[in-house]
Amino acid sequence: MSDYQAILDQVAEIIRDIFDEYEGPVTMETTANDVAQWDSLSHVRLMVMIEMELGVHFSTSEMQSFKNLGDLVRASAKQKA
Amino acid sequence: MIKERFLWRPPLAENWADRLAAVEALLSSGQEPDYIALKTLANQRLGMREHLRMERLAQKVKKQALMPQGFAPITLGLLGSRTLSFLRGPLAAAGLARGLDISALEAPYDSVASYAYSPVDCFGQPLDALLVIIDETAISGQRVILDHEAEKAALAEAAELVMALAAAAREKSGCRAIFATLPGSDQISSSDLATPGSMARFRQRFNLLLADGAQEGKWLLWDQAALADRVGLDAWLDPVRYHAAKTPFSVDACPLAADNIAALLAAMKGKAARGLVLDLDNTLWGGVIGDDGLAGIRLGQNSPEGEAFVAFQNFVLSLRNRGVVLAVCSKNADDIAREPFRAHSEMVIKENHIAVFQANWSDKATNIKTIAETLSLGLESLAFVDDNSAERERVRQELPLVSTIEVGDDPSFFIQRISHSGLFDHLPLNQEDIARAESYGGRAAAAEIRARIGNYENYLTSLSMRMSIAPFNGAGRSRITQLINKSNQFNLTTRRYEEEEVREFEENPEVIGWQVGLEDKFARHGMIGVVIVRKEDTAWTIDSWLQSCRVLERGVEQCVMNALFESAAAAGIEQIRSTYIPTDRNAMVADFYPRLGFPAGDDQTDGSVHYSCAVADYVPHRTFIEIYQAG
């Protein structure tokens, strides 16, 4: 879990950067629906920036399967392990 | 992932975030930010996150209608067969770095055909330019391999679409179309280009078709393919995002692509650089000419560093051939700085390629300002190249409008950094563009002459020149002989004497031989003149008068002539006679004696001219040289 927390912290930082108007919590359960600015365009940028900052790469099917930030964090942790 | 991060821009300032916050605070209070502050904020080596912040800032400035004056507004339509939304933010930010206020409007997804062929105008407003980025899958469907006819038909269809788009841009949006070339894609075989029906072959032919149309002035070209080559196709293309987000190229390439497009738009708006200001030592050659001398500097000669400088000079000359004006700004004595241009066999750039030559000990910012004024160019039209990071930093501080390119200190990278900067991007050239560098040269020369009339005397005074006039002697003999036998241009009679004859002059009481030396606050020029006079009872005759061309227009001859007439008066002489013998090399002194105050001469049948001036009539010239050792 602490692994997940470290990755989530990094992701949260990027999310605050991209969605500068969002002031709610960033948790494993956060989804695009929670953030007003999170549209399809910014979603792609978010993915690109997470890939760059975390040094991971998501496959086409992986990206489709993410239901919330938790899925994304777990997929990243798996790659980094 | 794209590795390159705007290497030609200055490194990210430590206080970048603070400066950004300052501009944001200004905006929050409804105040307009400063043009230079905003431009320099954008024109740094930004990372992905800084780019994001810069885009957001650009957005805010636009939304609040607080764009500072100076940013050239440009409304750009984006039309593509895939989504171009990811370019909009980066285009606004990239524009700020180049003095442009770019508003990008994106056509609805996949509306290429409807814009081209239907009466509907998806933009609904005039544009300044329409950027069309077509994906090759959209114009080149599957074809049977080796079917020549099918390839021809596909190309004709693509040509028709391009022509229709260019016409629609003109009629619907009142602007020119800019077509993106097609970047490469993964090939199956080395023979793809030789295989009719292959994508590789279609792409090449289509790109040439676009290029030909651009050359004919039908539209403009954004060479996406060249940028993709530079970045590397593996980094340029992102197959996951291509399918997931319909992007034509990798999203993290967008800042770079936007900057590349902005460079083209800047050229369109007349915001590209027109002049290149060059440092000399360690920029055009290796080493310091003042210390290492002509033989010591590294240029060519098969040394790796020397060859890199030659390659760079060739590159600079190719810029000039495209109409870029060249200027020199160097901390050096003028004569010494010019020496390699005149005497180094490996110099590619010659003196006549340089429109303004500022070699002195003043600071570079002042000199660059003088260059801009002399060329009647704005500071923003100048780019500055210097290997020394401290000098670059100082010029950036003092003249933030000048584009100081971060070339680094390794000459091998100069070409890359300058061409990647896109500062010299231009539209398809015409003959007029090419002639521009020449005409600037002429204008600069005229301006220099104007400046000279006003300030020439001040200039001469500021040189603190000191002259020695000494009779011929053993110490000077070999240099005297050399000057007598080598000087062609500033030589009134071109009479040659051997060293032995020079030795005889030393002892002959009927002959005056003067060797003239000069130094100024910058340099000791050594012996720069020789005068030989033959004495008679009441008249002296100037047998030879010659000077080195290194120190022209300094008042040397006036000073020596004054000294000669003084000596003649002291010796009770009535007349001084002289002769000009023309050769094919010495036209520059054809009017020497009249200029020095002699009455009009008598033309001889052999073409020479004889002069005579009464000593009593001679009016001494005003001089700016102190004589410290009169003969």
Side-chain angles (χ1 to χ4, degrees), chain A residues 10 13-14 16-20 37 40-42 44-45 47-49 51-53 56-60 63, chain B residues 1-2 5 48-49 51-53 55-56 60 83 85-86 89-90 238-241 243-245 247 251-252:
Chain A
Q10 264 182 293
E13 216 181 296
I14 299 168
R16 302 268 179 223
D17 244 3
I18 296 185
F19 309 118
D20 61 331
Q37 284 174 289
S40 62
L41 207 68
S42 48
V44 174
R45 291 200 81 164
M47 291 301 144
V48 170
M49 281 185 75
E51 284 187 340
M52 285 176 82
E53 299 264 326
V56 296
H57 191 80
F58 304 124
S59 72
T60 314
M63 288 217 301
Chain B
M1 296 279 165
I2 307 280
R5 289 282 168 215
M48 205 61 184
R49 288 193 168 179
H51 268 293
L52 188 71
R53 293 191 180 139
E55 287 172 32
R56 202 169 289 140
K60 271 186 207 157
T83 178
S85 316
F86 298 96
D238 179 346
V240 175
R241 237 68 65 175
H243 295 295
T247 63
V251 173
D252 64 311

Tab-separated table of all heavy atoms in Angstrom, chain A residues 10 13-14 16-20 37 40-42 44-45 47-49 51-53 56-60 63, chain B residues 1-2 5 48-49 51-53 55-56 60 83 85-86 89-90 238-241 243-245 247 251-252:
chain	number	residue	atom	x	y	z
A	10	GLN	N	2.546	11.237	-6.460
A	10	GLN	CA	3.109	11.792	-7.696
A	10	GLN	C	2.000	12.139	-8.690
A	10	GLN	O	2.006	13.209	-9.305
A	10	GLN	CB	4.050	10.761	-8.348
A	10	GLN	CG	5.519	10.960	-8.008
A	10	GLN	CD	6.386	9.944	-8.730
A	10	GLN	OE1	6.296	8.742	-8.444
A	10	GLN	NE2	7.195	10.411	-9.655
A	13	GLU	N	0.086	15.240	-7.771
A	13	GLU	CA	0.792	16.477	-8.111
A	13	GLU	C	0.520	16.874	-9.572
A	13	GLU	O	0.272	18.042	-9.881
A	13	GLU	CB	2.292	16.241	-7.920
A	13	GLU	CG	3.042	17.434	-7.384
A	13	GLU	CD	4.520	17.090	-7.247
A	13	GLU	OE1	4.854	16.199	-6.439
A	13	GLU	OE2	5.313	17.695	-7.985
A	14	ILE	N	0.568	15.880	-10.446
A	14	ILE	CA	0.320	16.145	-11.868
A	14	ILE	C	-1.135	16.574	-12.075
A	14	ILE	O	-1.418	17.505	-12.845
A	14	ILE	CB	0.641	14.882	-12.716
A	14	ILE	CG1	2.123	14.502	-12.545
A	14	ILE	CG2	0.297	15.112	-14.186
A	14	ILE	CD1	2.463	13.125	-13.087
A	16	ARG	N	-3.044	18.122	-9.964
A	16	ARG	CA	-3.209	19.512	-9.504
A	16	ARG	C	-2.666	20.495	-10.554
A	16	ARG	O	-3.162	21.600	-10.698
A	16	ARG	CB	-2.469	19.738	-8.180
A	16	ARG	CG	-2.903	18.832	-7.063
A	16	ARG	CD	-4.008	19.457	-6.237
A	16	ARG	NE	-4.428	18.553	-5.180
A	16	ARG	CZ	-5.701	18.345	-4.865
A	16	ARG	NH1	-6.678	18.984	-5.503
A	16	ARG	NH2	-6.029	17.515	-3.893
A	17	ASP	N	-1.621	20.039	-11.249
A	17	ASP	CA	-1.021	20.873	-12.286
A	17	ASP	C	-1.968	21.048	-13.473
A	17	ASP	O	-2.171	22.163	-13.968
A	17	ASP	CB	0.259	20.193	-12.792
A	17	ASP	CG	1.493	21.028	-12.496
A	17	ASP	OD1	1.324	22.086	-11.857
A	17	ASP	OD2	2.587	20.628	-12.897
A	18	ILE	N	-2.515	19.948	-13.913
A	18	ILE	CA	-3.350	19.998	-15.117
A	18	ILE	C	-4.732	20.567	-14.816
A	18	ILE	O	-5.258	21.392	-15.563
A	18	ILE	CB	-3.472	18.594	-15.749
A	18	ILE	CG1	-2.086	18.126	-16.234
A	18	ILE	CG2	-4.475	18.600	-16.908
A	18	ILE	CD1	-2.096	16.819	-16.990
A	19	PHE	N	-5.304	20.115	-13.705
A	19	PHE	CA	-6.648	20.593	-13.348
A	19	PHE	C	-6.507	21.644	-12.246
A	19	PHE	O	-6.806	21.389	-11.079
A	19	PHE	CB	-7.519	19.409	-12.899
A	19	PHE	CG	-7.499	18.269	-13.891
A	19	PHE	CD1	-7.019	17.019	-13.529
A	19	PHE	CD2	-7.959	18.455	-15.194
A	19	PHE	CE1	-7.003	15.977	-14.438
A	19	PHE	CE2	-7.938	17.414	-16.110
A	19	PHE	CZ	-7.453	16.162	-15.734
A	20	ASP	N	-6.052	22.803	-12.636
A	20	ASP	CA	-5.691	23.804	-11.626
A	20	ASP	C	-6.891	24.371	-10.877
A	20	ASP	O	-6.736	24.995	-9.841
A	20	ASP	CB	-4.866	24.920	-12.269
A	20	ASP	CG	-5.632	25.637	-13.365
A	20	ASP	OD1	-6.508	24.991	-13.996
A	20	ASP	OD2	-5.369	26.822	-13.610
A	37	GLN	N	-12.784	19.866	-14.990
A	37	GLN	CA	-11.901	20.148	-16.135
A	37	GLN	C	-11.461	18.885	-16.886
A	37	GLN	O	-10.844	18.980	-17.945
A	37	GLN	CB	-10.619	20.853	-15.642
A	37	GLN	CG	-10.803	22.318	-15.299
A	37	GLN	CD	-9.507	22.866	-14.688
A	37	GLN	OE1	-9.162	22.515	-13.562
A	37	GLN	NE2	-8.805	23.696	-15.423
A	40	SER	N	-11.853	14.742	-22.428
A	40	SER	CA	-11.078	13.755	-23.183
A	40	SER	C	-9.701	14.303	-23.570
A	40	SER	O	-8.711	13.581	-23.603
A	40	SER	CB	-11.852	13.332	-24.431
A	40	SER	OG	-12.049	14.442	-25.275
A	41	LEU	N	-9.662	15.595	-23.845
A	41	LEU	CA	-8.412	16.229	-24.231
A	41	LEU	C	-7.402	16.206	-23.081
A	41	LEU	O	-6.259	15.760	-23.236
A	41	LEU	CB	-8.709	17.674	-24.640
A	41	LEU	CG	-7.756	18.305	-25.631
A	41	LEU	CD1	-7.901	17.639	-26.978
A	41	LEU	CD2	-8.057	19.811	-25.749
A	42	SER	N	-7.852	16.698	-21.933
A	42	SER	CA	-6.924	16.748	-20.806
A	42	SER	C	-6.624	15.338	-20.290
A	42	SER	O	-5.584	15.110	-19.684
A	42	SER	CB	-7.457	17.642	-19.682
A	42	SER	OG	-8.786	17.320	-19.399
A	44	VAL	N	-5.898	12.793	-22.148
A	44	VAL	CA	-4.733	12.323	-22.903
A	44	VAL	C	-3.457	12.977	-22.375
A	44	VAL	O	-2.431	12.327	-22.186
A	44	VAL	CB	-4.915	12.613	-24.414
A	44	VAL	CG1	-3.643	12.247	-25.178
A	44	VAL	CG2	-6.105	11.839	-24.950
A	45	ARG	N	-3.539	14.267	-22.101
A	45	ARG	CA	-2.355	14.952	-21.569
A	45	ARG	C	-1.960	14.382	-20.221
A	45	ARG	O	-0.777	14.229	-19.919
A	45	ARG	CB	-2.642	16.451	-21.428
A	45	ARG	CG	-2.767	17.123	-22.759
A	45	ARG	CD	-2.574	18.587	-22.621
A	45	ARG	NE	-1.152	18.921	-22.556
A	45	ARG	CZ	-0.699	20.145	-22.745
A	45	ARG	NH1	-1.533	21.125	-22.979
A	45	ARG	NH2	0.586	20.402	-22.669
A	47	MET	N	-2.433	11.353	-19.161
A	47	MET	CA	-1.796	10.058	-19.384
A	47	MET	C	-0.343	10.239	-19.847
A	47	MET	O	0.561	9.566	-19.360
A	47	MET	CB	-2.578	9.256	-20.443
A	47	MET	CG	-3.936	8.778	-19.990
A	47	MET	SD	-3.805	7.714	-18.538
A	47	MET	CE	-5.265	8.191	-17.647
A	48	VAL	N	-0.163	11.156	-20.785
A	48	VAL	CA	1.184	11.384	-21.312
A	48	VAL	C	2.118	11.863	-20.202
A	48	VAL	O	3.243	11.383	-20.053
A	48	VAL	CB	1.148	12.406	-22.466
A	48	VAL	CG1	2.554	12.842	-22.851
A	48	VAL	CG2	0.439	11.802	-23.677
A	49	MET	N	1.620	12.794	-19.388
A	49	MET	CA	2.482	13.332	-18.332
A	49	MET	C	2.768	12.281	-17.261
A	49	MET	O	3.875	12.213	-16.732
A	49	MET	CB	1.874	14.594	-17.737
A	49	MET	CG	2.131	15.790	-18.652
A	49	MET	SD	1.588	17.352	-17.986
A	49	MET	CE	2.842	17.686	-16.780
A	51	GLU	N	2.904	9.070	-17.754
A	51	GLU	CA	3.878	8.157	-18.357
A	51	GLU	C	5.286	8.738	-18.297
A	51	GLU	O	6.251	8.037	-18.000
A	51	GLU	CB	3.503	7.869	-19.818
A	51	GLU	CG	2.346	6.891	-19.964
A	51	GLU	CD	2.088	6.490	-21.412
A	51	GLU	OE1	2.535	7.228	-22.323
A	51	GLU	OE2	1.454	5.457	-21.629
A	52	MET	N	5.385	10.044	-18.599
A	52	MET	CA	6.706	10.676	-18.601
A	52	MET	C	7.293	10.754	-17.198
A	52	MET	O	8.449	10.424	-16.959
A	52	MET	CB	6.622	12.084	-19.203
A	52	MET	CG	6.477	12.076	-20.714
A	52	MET	SD	6.256	13.736	-21.358
A	52	MET	CE	7.939	14.292	-21.422
A	53	GLU	N	6.473	11.206	-16.253
A	53	GLU	CA	6.992	11.439	-14.895
A	53	GLU	C	7.269	10.127	-14.167
A	53	GLU	O	8.203	10.029	-13.391
A	53	GLU	CB	5.996	12.287	-14.098
A	53	GLU	CG	5.738	13.657	-14.708
A	53	GLU	CD	6.589	14.753	-14.085
A	53	GLU	OE1	6.862	14.668	-12.873
A	53	GLU	OE2	6.971	15.692	-14.816
A	56	VAL	N	6.584	5.032	-17.027
A	56	VAL	CA	5.828	3.810	-17.339
A	56	VAL	C	5.186	3.973	-18.715
A	56	VAL	O	5.223	5.058	-19.305
A	56	VAL	CB	4.715	3.546	-16.283
A	56	VAL	CG1	5.349	3.281	-14.933
A	56	VAL	CG2	3.745	4.721	-16.224
A	57	HIS	N	4.634	2.902	-19.220
A	57	HIS	CA	3.906	3.010	-20.470
A	57	HIS	C	2.679	2.116	-20.435
A	57	HIS	O	2.778	0.930	-20.140
A	57	HIS	CB	4.795	2.622	-21.660
A	57	HIS	CG	4.177	2.953	-22.971
A	57	HIS	ND1	4.203	4.215	-23.505
A	57	HIS	CD2	3.459	2.185	-23.824
A	57	HIS	CE1	3.544	4.224	-24.656
A	57	HIS	NE2	3.073	3.002	-24.863
A	58	PHE	N	1.526	2.715	-20.711
A	58	PHE	CA	0.278	1.947	-20.675
A	58	PHE	C	-0.070	1.457	-22.075
A	58	PHE	O	0.076	2.190	-23.050
A	58	PHE	CB	-0.873	2.814	-20.139
A	58	PHE	CG	-0.580	3.406	-18.793
A	58	PHE	CD1	-0.643	4.786	-18.592
A	58	PHE	CD2	-0.246	2.591	-17.710
A	58	PHE	CE1	-0.371	5.335	-17.353
A	58	PHE	CE2	0.030	3.146	-16.470
A	58	PHE	CZ	-0.026	4.526	-16.282
A	59	SER	N	-0.562	0.222	-22.127
A	59	SER	CA	-0.955	-0.322	-23.430
A	59	SER	C	-2.330	0.216	-23.813
A	59	SER	O	-3.048	0.784	-22.991
A	59	SER	CB	-1.004	-1.845	-23.365
A	59	SER	OG	-2.132	-2.241	-22.610
A	60	THR	N	-2.674	0.029	-25.073
A	60	THR	CA	-3.955	0.528	-25.567
A	60	THR	C	-5.114	-0.068	-24.756
A	60	THR	O	-6.054	0.634	-24.376
A	60	THR	CB	-4.117	0.155	-27.052
A	60	THR	OG1	-2.894	0.464	-27.732
A	60	THR	CG2	-5.245	0.925	-27.702
A	63	MET	N	-5.285	1.277	-20.985
A	63	MET	CA	-5.849	2.621	-20.838
A	63	MET	C	-7.366	2.582	-20.881
A	63	MET	O	-8.039	3.365	-20.216
A	63	MET	CB	-5.306	3.531	-21.934
A	63	MET	CG	-3.857	3.873	-21.697
A	63	MET	SD	-3.485	5.547	-22.165
A	63	MET	CE	-3.923	5.516	-23.859
B	1	MET	N	9.307	9.004	-26.632
B	1	MET	CA	9.409	10.292	-25.927
B	1	MET	C	10.414	11.209	-26.636
B	1	MET	O	11.458	10.751	-27.089
B	1	MET	CB	9.908	10.077	-24.484
B	1	MET	CG	8.951	9.277	-23.631
B	1	MET	SD	7.615	10.286	-23.002
B	1	MET	CE	6.498	8.987	-22.482
B	2	ILE	N	10.102	12.486	-26.674
B	2	ILE	CA	10.988	13.454	-27.312
B	2	ILE	C	12.111	13.812	-26.343
B	2	ILE	O	11.852	14.218	-25.222
B	2	ILE	CB	10.210	14.744	-27.652
B	2	ILE	CG1	8.962	14.410	-28.451
B	2	ILE	CG2	11.102	15.728	-28.363
B	2	ILE	CD1	9.178	14.159	-29.889
B	5	ARG	N	14.724	19.272	-25.922
B	5	ARG	CA	13.887	20.250	-25.245
B	5	ARG	C	14.373	21.664	-25.551
B	5	ARG	O	14.955	22.309	-24.702
B	5	ARG	CB	13.897	19.990	-23.745
B	5	ARG	CG	13.153	18.749	-23.321
B	5	ARG	CD	11.660	18.971	-23.314
B	5	ARG	NE	10.977	17.696	-23.172
B	5	ARG	CZ	9.814	17.418	-23.769
B	5	ARG	NH1	9.235	18.298	-24.524
B	5	ARG	NH2	9.253	16.257	-23.597
B	48	MET	N	7.889	19.871	-19.566
B	48	MET	CA	6.487	19.573	-19.862
B	48	MET	C	5.553	20.384	-18.960
B	48	MET	O	4.550	20.916	-19.406
B	48	MET	CB	6.271	18.067	-19.666
B	48	MET	CG	5.128	17.488	-20.443
B	48	MET	SD	5.329	17.655	-22.238
B	48	MET	CE	3.770	17.002	-22.809
B	49	ARG	N	5.907	20.481	-17.685
B	49	ARG	CA	5.025	21.184	-16.753
B	49	ARG	C	5.048	22.694	-16.956
B	49	ARG	O	4.015	23.352	-16.863
B	49	ARG	CB	5.450	20.876	-15.320
B	49	ARG	CG	5.105	19.480	-14.939
B	49	ARG	CD	5.258	19.353	-13.489
B	49	ARG	NE	4.672	18.099	-13.054
B	49	ARG	CZ	4.690	17.711	-11.795
B	49	ARG	NH1	5.221	18.469	-10.877
B	49	ARG	NH2	4.141	16.572	-11.475
B	51	HIS	N	5.557	24.076	-19.702
B	51	HIS	CA	4.768	24.289	-20.911
B	51	HIS	C	3.290	24.399	-20.575
B	51	HIS	O	2.586	25.281	-21.068
B	51	HIS	CB	4.987	23.150	-21.907
B	51	HIS	CG	6.079	23.434	-22.885
B	51	HIS	ND1	5.969	24.428	-23.831
B	51	HIS	CD2	7.295	22.898	-23.048
B	51	HIS	CE1	7.093	24.471	-24.528
B	51	HIS	NE2	7.912	23.566	-24.065
B	52	LEU	N	2.864	23.494	-19.729
B	52	LEU	CA	1.462	23.495	-19.329
B	52	LEU	C	1.090	24.839	-18.692
B	52	LEU	O	0.071	25.448	-19.003
B	52	LEU	CB	1.242	22.348	-18.342
B	52	LEU	CG	-0.180	22.061	-17.935
B	52	LEU	CD1	-0.921	21.441	-19.108
B	52	LEU	CD2	-0.198	21.107	-16.738
B	53	ARG	N	1.963	25.319	-17.800
B	53	ARG	CA	1.690	26.603	-17.117
B	53	ARG	C	1.706	27.763	-18.108
B	53	ARG	O	0.907	28.688	-17.996
B	53	ARG	CB	2.730	26.841	-16.025
B	53	ARG	CG	2.587	25.836	-14.925
B	53	ARG	CD	3.405	26.183	-13.712
B	53	ARG	NE	3.185	25.143	-12.728
B	53	ARG	CZ	4.157	24.620	-11.960
B	53	ARG	NH1	5.376	25.103	-12.035
B	53	ARG	NH2	3.880	23.676	-11.103
B	55	GLU	N	0.992	27.628	-21.277
B	55	GLU	CA	-0.243	27.571	-22.082
B	55	GLU	C	-1.398	28.198	-21.326
B	55	GLU	O	-2.207	28.936	-21.882
B	55	GLU	CB	-0.598	26.113	-22.397
B	55	GLU	CG	0.299	25.483	-23.429
B	55	GLU	CD	0.041	23.990	-23.555
B	55	GLU	OE1	-1.115	23.561	-23.353
B	55	GLU	OE2	0.991	23.258	-23.852
B	56	ARG	N	-1.441	27.867	-20.037
B	56	ARG	CA	-2.535	28.399	-19.234
B	56	ARG	C	-2.436	29.925	-19.121
B	56	ARG	O	-3.428	30.629	-19.183
B	56	ARG	CB	-2.492	27.759	-17.846
B	56	ARG	CG	-3.807	27.833	-17.162
B	56	ARG	CD	-3.817	26.986	-15.922
B	56	ARG	NE	-3.818	25.558	-16.202
B	56	ARG	CZ	-3.097	24.675	-15.500
B	56	ARG	NH1	-2.305	25.086	-14.535
B	56	ARG	NH2	-3.189	23.405	-15.778
B	60	LYS	N	-5.070	32.830	-20.286
B	60	LYS	CA	-5.584	33.892	-19.400
B	60	LYS	C	-5.413	35.266	-20.027
B	60	LYS	O	-6.327	36.095	-19.983
B	60	LYS	CB	-4.827	33.865	-18.059
B	60	LYS	CG	-5.470	32.955	-17.033
B	60	LYS	CD	-4.766	33.087	-15.689
B	60	LYS	CE	-4.908	31.793	-14.902
B	60	LYS	NZ	-3.857	31.626	-13.891
B	83	THR	N	-7.356	14.467	-34.876
B	83	THR	CA	-7.596	15.607	-33.988
B	83	THR	C	-6.330	16.460	-33.835
B	83	THR	O	-5.231	15.944	-33.665
B	83	THR	CB	-8.100	15.162	-32.609
B	83	THR	OG1	-8.270	16.327	-31.809
B	83	THR	CG2	-7.119	14.249	-31.912
B	85	SER	N	-6.527	19.120	-31.647
B	85	SER	CA	-6.821	19.893	-30.431
B	85	SER	C	-5.580	20.085	-29.563
B	85	SER	O	-5.435	21.111	-28.899
B	85	SER	CB	-7.876	19.175	-29.596
B	85	SER	OG	-8.910	18.711	-30.421
B	86	PHE	N	-4.703	19.095	-29.585
B	86	PHE	CA	-3.537	19.165	-28.707
B	86	PHE	C	-2.537	20.223	-29.135
B	86	PHE	O	-1.588	20.496	-28.426
B	86	PHE	CB	-2.853	17.795	-28.661
B	86	PHE	CG	-3.744	16.743	-28.110
B	86	PHE	CD1	-4.474	15.915	-28.936
B	86	PHE	CD2	-3.903	16.633	-26.736
B	86	PHE	CE1	-5.321	14.964	-28.414
B	86	PHE	CE2	-4.759	15.675	-26.209
B	86	PHE	CZ	-5.480	14.833	-27.050
B	89	GLY	N	-3.254	24.807	-27.426
B	89	GLY	CA	-2.566	25.414	-26.280
B	89	GLY	C	-1.096	25.664	-26.574
B	89	GLY	O	-0.600	26.792	-26.417
B	90	PRO	N	-0.379	24.631	-27.018
B	90	PRO	CA	1.035	24.827	-27.336
B	90	PRO	C	1.277	25.914	-28.380
B	90	PRO	O	2.272	26.639	-28.301
B	90	PRO	CB	1.469	23.455	-27.869
B	90	PRO	CG	0.573	22.492	-27.169
B	90	PRO	CD	-0.754	23.199	-27.048
B	238	ASP	N	3.188	7.996	-32.054
B	238	ASP	CA	2.754	7.344	-30.826
B	238	ASP	C	1.552	6.477	-31.205
B	238	ASP	O	0.420	6.961	-31.234
B	238	ASP	CB	2.389	8.407	-29.787
B	238	ASP	CG	1.909	7.797	-28.482
B	238	ASP	OD1	1.608	6.576	-28.462
B	238	ASP	OD2	1.832	8.532	-27.484
B	239	PRO	N	1.794	5.210	-31.545
B	239	PRO	CA	0.719	4.369	-32.077
B	239	PRO	C	-0.450	4.214	-31.103
B	239	PRO	O	-1.601	4.120	-31.542
B	239	PRO	CB	1.392	3.015	-32.323
B	239	PRO	CG	2.852	3.232	-32.190
B	239	PRO	CD	3.078	4.491	-31.436
B	240	VAL	N	-0.131	4.201	-29.802
B	240	VAL	CA	-1.228	4.056	-28.826
B	240	VAL	C	-2.176	5.238	-28.920
B	240	VAL	O	-3.393	5.096	-29.064
B	240	VAL	CB	-0.660	3.932	-27.391
B	240	VAL	CG1	-1.804	3.905	-26.382
B	240	VAL	CG2	0.201	2.691	-27.269
B	241	ARG	N	-1.598	6.445	-28.872
B	241	ARG	CA	-2.430	7.659	-28.920
B	241	ARG	C	-3.049	7.867	-30.307
B	241	ARG	O	-4.091	8.472	-30.444
B	241	ARG	CB	-1.593	8.888	-28.525
B	241	ARG	CG	-2.142	9.657	-27.366
B	241	ARG	CD	-2.068	8.916	-26.051
B	241	ARG	NE	-0.685	8.693	-25.649
B	241	ARG	CZ	-0.319	8.148	-24.504
B	241	ARG	NH1	-1.229	7.742	-23.633
B	241	ARG	NH2	0.936	7.982	-24.229
B	243	HIS	N	-4.358	5.664	-32.077
B	243	HIS	CA	-5.636	4.952	-32.088
B	243	HIS	C	-6.561	5.407	-30.977
B	243	HIS	O	-7.762	5.530	-31.169
B	243	HIS	CB	-5.386	3.447	-31.987
B	243	HIS	CG	-4.657	2.895	-33.169
B	243	HIS	ND1	-5.203	2.896	-34.434
B	243	HIS	CD2	-3.418	2.376	-33.297
B	243	HIS	CE1	-4.323	2.382	-35.288
B	243	HIS	NE2	-3.232	2.077	-34.619
B	244	ALA	N	-5.977	5.692	-29.797
B	244	ALA	CA	-6.824	6.022	-28.646
B	244	ALA	C	-7.344	7.450	-28.717
B	244	ALA	O	-8.477	7.724	-28.364
B	244	ALA	CB	-6.036	5.811	-27.357
B	245	ALA	N	-6.498	8.384	-29.160
B	245	ALA	CA	-6.896	9.792	-29.118
B	245	ALA	C	-6.902	10.434	-30.498
B	245	ALA	O	-7.130	11.624	-30.622
B	245	ALA	CB	-5.960	10.566	-28.186
B	247	THR	N	-4.569	11.227	-32.490
B	247	THR	CA	-3.572	12.281	-32.727
B	247	THR	C	-2.678	11.872	-33.893
B	247	THR	O	-2.293	10.712	-33.996
B	247	THR	CB	-2.676	12.488	-31.484
B	247	THR	OG1	-1.955	11.274	-31.244
B	247	THR	CG2	-3.493	12.838	-30.275
B	251	VAL	N	1.708	13.267	-28.471
B	251	VAL	CA	1.244	14.455	-27.758
B	251	VAL	C	2.411	15.220	-27.136
B	251	VAL	O	2.408	16.445	-27.092
B	251	VAL	CB	0.203	14.069	-26.677
B	251	VAL	CG1	-0.144	15.271	-25.814
B	251	VAL	CG2	-1.048	13.506	-27.324
B	252	ASP	N	3.429	14.498	-26.675
B	252	ASP	CA	4.534	15.239	-26.057
B	252	ASP	C	5.415	15.912	-27.108
B	252	ASP	O	6.321	16.681	-26.774
B	252	ASP	CB	5.355	14.379	-25.091
B	252	ASP	CG	6.058	13.239	-25.798
B	252	ASP	OD1	5.386	12.533	-26.560
B	252	ASP	OD2	7.272	13.078	-25.596
